[in-house]
Amino acid sequence: MEKSRNRNISRPILKGSAQEPAQQTEAPQPQEVPVKRPSESSRLRVGITPGDGSSLNYGAMARLFFDNSIFDSVLPFVYGSPKDLLQAAEKAGREDLKVVAQQQIQDIKGRNVQVLQTASEETEDALLPLQAGIRHLAEGHLHALVSLPLDETKVRQKHADFKNQAVAVAEVFHANPFRMLLARSMRLNFLTTASRQDLATYLDTQRIEQRLRALYAVLQSDFSITTPRIAVLCADSPIDTNVLKPLVTRLFEEGIPVFGPYASKEFFVKPDRYAFDAVLCMYKEQMEKVFDACPKEDCCYYTAGLPIVHIETVFGSGNAEEAFRSLFRALCTAVDIVAARQQNAKLNENPLGYHAASYKRDGHEEN
């Protein structure tokens, strides 16, 4: 559910204070893999990986750079092949598009269309651009990473242990992330891919409560919703009575506005669904039904719960214009999340408004 206080990503408003990695001054975050924070600068640096490198993917990226105003407040660049990006631009009728090939991420600057080459033209490994983007996130060279669709089956032919892009990102940062589907009118998350018959094995009070609290915190920090309202869907099993109802009641009494459980078939056809900021589905099939009914250009996946920002685009019918709109949606969403985190960090760094000089003098607190 998009609220009026959240930015409408369909408009090309890309605001935010960015940071440069070369002037690192802050201490690493307390993660197993420290995430460096770039220092202050004028624009957000967003890397875009080409996914499986298809003509559709490169066409969407080329179309993104047709409007030079994209560089006003954001510095987006592409991981991959400058040759493929130029060919995609020419196919779209923009032979005049100039692409600069860079070998080092430190050279990415200015208002040019830039491609960071991750391998030689002869190397066909779709995972290399994603790996480079993840590494640069951890090193503090990026504010956000946007990844285009990737054919997981083809990647597993060279990397048998590869699961998906979200898992590849999560494995590096050793956190407890979860995937959110961001549609135009709602935000959804699911707990398990297990079938209904096996839900009792995977879902218990502790796991559901942890996810609800994590989802609540993400809505506050990454979407600037002060008091998020979360709807919980039924599991269509005894879990609804034995686990969900008591848990929802307890959390609501604690001050966390959680509601439900609701039957999924009825919930998504009633206008009341727009009263909630997020929906927690018990199993994946519930979320997939919503995804199938949504225009793909209005959807993207967010890897929530990480110290970095990673967004996956969703391409539907293979239409070039739809693919571009999906990429633009993902880019704007990534920028909005980064800006929300920076704003919330600024607001929380000194919430009472005291200054060190006035709070302490000669080692003693003032009355």
Side-chain angles (χ1 to χ4, degrees):
M1 280 58 61
E2 297 292 340
K3 299 295 183 183
S4 59
R5 56 183 174 275
N6 292 330
R7 182 177 306 155
N8 184 349
I9 58 83
S10 63
R11 294 182 286 111
I13 301 177
L14 305 175
K15 299 289 185 180
S17 59
Q19 308 161 334
E20 289 293 335
Q23 301 177 1
Q24 172 67 32
T25 58
E26 296 183 7
Q29 297 292 312
Q31 301 289 329
E32 293 187 34
V33 177
V35 181
K36 298 181 180 179
R37 300 301 183 192
S39 58
E40 291 298 327
S41 180
S42 59
R43 293 184 294 167
L44 298 177
R45 298 166 64 92
V46 182
I48 305 173
T49 62
D52 54 21
S54 65
S55 59
L56 179 65
N57 290 9
Y58 271 99
M61 292 187 292
R63 174 70 177 80
L64 179 69
F65 297 110
F66 286 179
D67 185 355
N68 196 52
S69 64
I70 192 74
F71 294 105
D72 288 347
S73 56
V74 181
L75 178 53
F77 65 93
V78 173
Y79 290 89
S81 168
K83 176 182 176 182
D84 290 344
L85 189 63
L86 279 172
Q87 289 178 345
E90 292 174 359
K91 186 177 180 180
R94 286 295 302 270
E95 295 83 357
D96 60 331
L97 186 69
K98 296 182 180 180
V99 177
V100 178
Q102 303 286 12
Q103 301 297 326
Q104 301 292 331
I105 192 170
Q106 291 83 356
D107 298 328
I108 302 291
K109 55 187 176 181
R111 297 174 63 89
N112 300 315
V113 181
Q114 299 171 82
V115 175
L116 185 62
Q117 293 181 289
T118 54
S120 64
E121 296 291 341
E122 294 77 16
T123 303
E124 296 183 0
D125 190 341
L127 194 57
L128 291 179
L130 179 64
Q131 291 174 332
I134 295 173
R135 183 174 67 254
H136 292 152
L137 277 174
E139 293 173 352
H141 295 293
L142 294 179
H143 292 89
L145 181 67
V146 176
S147 56
L148 273 64
L150 181 63
D151 189 333
E152 299 165 0
T153 304
K154 291 183 178 179
V155 174
R156 293 190 189 106
Q157 294 176 0
K158 290 187 176 182
H159 307 273
D161 57 344
F162 179 79
K163 295 181 180 179
N164 56 54
Q165 298 191 77
V167 172
V169 174
E171 288 176 344
V172 172
F173 296 97
H174 300 281
N176 294 312
F178 52 93
R179 209 179 191 199
M180 293 180 65
L181 173 63
L182 308 181
R184 172 175 292 182
S185 58
M186 62 187 71
R187 307 174 184 90
L188 299 99
N189 173 237
F190 69 93
L191 275 170
T192 180
T193 58
S195 62
R196 296 183 187 182
Q197 294 78 8
D198 299 328
L199 282 179
T201 306
Y202 294 92
L203 299 182
D204 55 26
T205 302
Q206 182 179 4
R207 182 176 183 181
I208 299 173
E209 181 177 353
Q210 287 177 346
R211 179 59 57 84
L212 283 171
R213 292 185 182 277
L215 182 58
Y216 186 80
V218 165
L219 292 171
Q220 288 181 315
S221 64
D222 296 355
F223 297 93
S224 295
I225 304 174
T226 305
T227 310
R229 295 163 59 92
I230 302 175
V232 179
L233 298 188
C234 291
D236 299 325
S237 73
I239 295 176
D240 296 336
T241 303
N242 301 333
V243 176
L244 289 180
K245 288 184 178 180
L247 176 60
V248 167
T249 300
R250 177 164 59 84
L251 291 177
F252 186 84
E253 291 175 349
E254 289 182 15
I256 299 178
V258 179
F259 303 87
Y262 299 103
S264 59
K265 291 183 179 179
E266 298 177 0
F267 180 82
F268 290 114
V269 298
K270 293 183 177 180
D272 292 347
R273 67 184 185 274
Y274 298 115
F276 299 97
D277 299 295
V279 180
L280 179 62
C281 306
M282 289 299 105
Y283 48 91
K284 190 176 182 181
E285 290 179 8
Q286 291 175 325
M287 191 179 79
E288 287 178 338
K289 290 180 180 179
V290 179
F291 173 74
D292 293 339
C294 290
K296 300 304 177 286
E297 64 185 54
D298 295 332
C299 299
C300 62
Y301 284 105
Y302 173 42
T303 310
L306 292 175
I308 52 82
V309 176
H310 172 240
I311 302 286
E312 291 181 62
T313 59
V314 176
F315 291 174
S317 62
N319 179 275
E321 181 63 21
E322 182 183 281
F324 156 68
R325 292 181 64 85
S326 176
L327 174 57
F328 187 75
R329 152 89 183 191
L331 176 65
C332 291
T333 300
V335 171
D336 281 343
I337 292 174
V338 173
R341 287 188 177 187
Q342 291 177 344
Q343 181 184 40
N344 290 323
K346 188 71 174 178
L347 292 173
N348 292 323
E349 66 182 5
N350 193 12
L352 296 180
Y354 287 108
H355 298 283
S358 62
Y359 183 65
K360 289 186 177 182
R361 180 177 298 170
D362 299 328
H364 299 286
E365 297 181 1
E366 293 185 338
N367 295 326

